[in-house]
Amino acid sequence: MDLGLTGRAAFVAGSSKGMGRAIAEGFAAEGADVGMCARGGDALRDAADAVRAQGVRVVATVADVSVAAQATAAVERTVAELGRLDALVVNAGGPGPGQFEELDDAQWDATYQMTFKSAVHLIRAALPALRTSDAASIVFVSSSSVRQPIPGLTLSNSVRGAVAGLARTLADELAPGVRVNTLLPGRIRTERQLELARAAGTASLEERWAMLSRDVPLARIGEPAEFARVAVFLSSAAASYVTGAMLAVDGGLIRSVV
Ligand SMILES: NC(=O)c1ccc[n+]([C@@H]2O[C@H](COP(=O)([O-])OP(=O)(O)OC[C@H]3O[C@@H](n4cnc5c(N)ncnc54)[C@H](OP(=O)(O)O)[C@@H]3O)[C@@H](O)[C@H]2O)c1
């Protein structure tokens, strides 16, 4: 299937590692130029080099997307250098673990900034360019916790509900010019899962992956590239009649009908 991405441009936030990096690589494999960002410069440089090696143009900007000025500058620089923007992938790091009684206001506020306000900053900055594309798309990287709370991830379980509300509202408000969809990863083998494994004090990584695989119908955790293929497809004109969707990429983990 031709995804029609050759010569188009995508901005992938939080793209030095994990699913964001895999999505940036996925766009490049389809011939799209890519804007990338992350807070840490070294990992971002490595990721940008890998994406550039696929023969596309890459604009990599060190930026914290929870800070309005930095998110805006990263998107605007990408549009200025690539000359267009067709796809935005809203993504950032995940909130830390903790149950309600362990959490203080600073943690709630930081999660709101990183998980919710980052989406506002990125979309606001990207919209003027997206509106000039004949195949514009926004994809949110969210979590299975939108459908079913994950024990011990109170911050994520809570704030992602607000992001889902924003995504569903924008699918109406921005139609028909911009499609807006949300991906719900289950358990994907990334730095984020390694951090949660460390926080849980699991003895070995193998033990952690085995534990996480146990109740997944496909009997394993997912790979970032498997997630990225779905994100790139949803961002492309091949998904031209899909908007307002919440699509699980979780090996069948969540059995919810909605
Ligand atoms: N992996 C899973 O199984 C899973 C499951 C459900 C939901 N999710 C969610 O999916 C999202 C991506 O997860 P992942 O597993 O790919 O994470 P990851 O491996 O930790 O990668 C996160 C990427 O985003 C960047 N980043 C983090 N905070 C940022 C910020 N404020 N501004 C700019 N860049 C930022 C990181 O680089 P820097 O740290 O250098 O900025 C890194 O490049 C997270 O929200 C996570 O909670 C993941």
Side-chain angles (χ1 to χ4, degrees):
M1 189 192 311
D2 178 12
L3 298 186
L5 285 167
T6 305
R8 293 193 179 270
F11 183 87
V12 186
S15 44
S16 66
K17 297 177 193 161
M19 290 184 276
R21 174 173 171 161
I23 295 168
E25 292 175 343
F27 275 117
E30 293 296 327
D33 295 326
V34 189
M36 302 171 66
C37 79
R39 295 166 301 182
D42 291 347
L44 180 64
R45 205 170 309 113
D46 289 350
D49 286 346
V51 175
R52 206 173 280 117
Q54 293 181 267
V56 299
R57 291 183 293 162
V58 174
V59 178
T61 308
V62 173
D64 181 344
V65 293
S66 64
V67 179
Q70 294 184 31
T72 303
V75 173
E76 289 183 347
R77 180 176 163 230
T78 298
V79 174
E81 294 193 20
L82 299 182
R84 63 185 299 155
L85 190 66
D86 303 284
L88 169 68
V89 177
V90 176
N91 178 51
Q99 299 199 336
F100 181 78
E101 289 175 296
E102 299 162 348
L103 299 169
D104 60 25
D105 276 359
Q107 289 166 293
W108 282 105
D109 291 347
T111 301
Y112 178 68
Q113 286 300 324
M114 185 161 77
T115 304
F116 187 87
K117 285 299 291 293
S118 62
V120 173
H121 304 147
L122 290 164
I123 294 166
R124 197 183 272 146
L127 265 182
L130 287 177
R131 285 193 193 282
T132 67
S133 168
D134 62 354
S137 153
I138 298 171
V139 167
F140 287 78
V141 176
S142 186
S143 170
S144 63
S145 67
V146 169
R147 291 201 171 133
Q148 182 169 298
I150 300 170
L153 290 185
T154 306
L155 294 166
S156 171
N157 296 341
S158 306
V159 178
R160 290 198 196 279
V163 181
L166 175 67
R168 287 184 301 158
T169 304
L170 289 179
D172 279 347
E173 279 189 20
L174 303 182
V178 184
R179 295 181 302 105
V180 182
N181 292 293
T182 299
L183 287 176
L184 309 177
R187 297 159 184 168
I188 311 291
R189 195 193 308 269
T190 65
E191 286 288 320
R192 161 82 171 161
Q193 282 294 353
L194 294 176
E195 279 164 24
L196 293 174
R198 277 181 221 114
T202 316
S204 74
L205 275 183
E206 286 64 34
E207 195 183 308
R208 173 82 178 169
W209 302 146
M211 190 194 78
L212 291 176
S213 303
R214 217 168 286 147
D215 50 350
V216 178
L218 293 185
R220 59 179 177 83
I221 64 167
E223 299 301 331
E226 294 181 290
F227 183 86
R229 283 198 292 274
V230 185
V232 172
F233 164 73
L234 259 193
S235 300
S236 78
S240 53
Y241 202 54
V242 184
T243 196
M246 301 253 161
L247 180 59
V249 185
D250 65 358
L253 177 68
I254 305 297
R255 278 75 160 181
S256 161
V257 291
V258 290

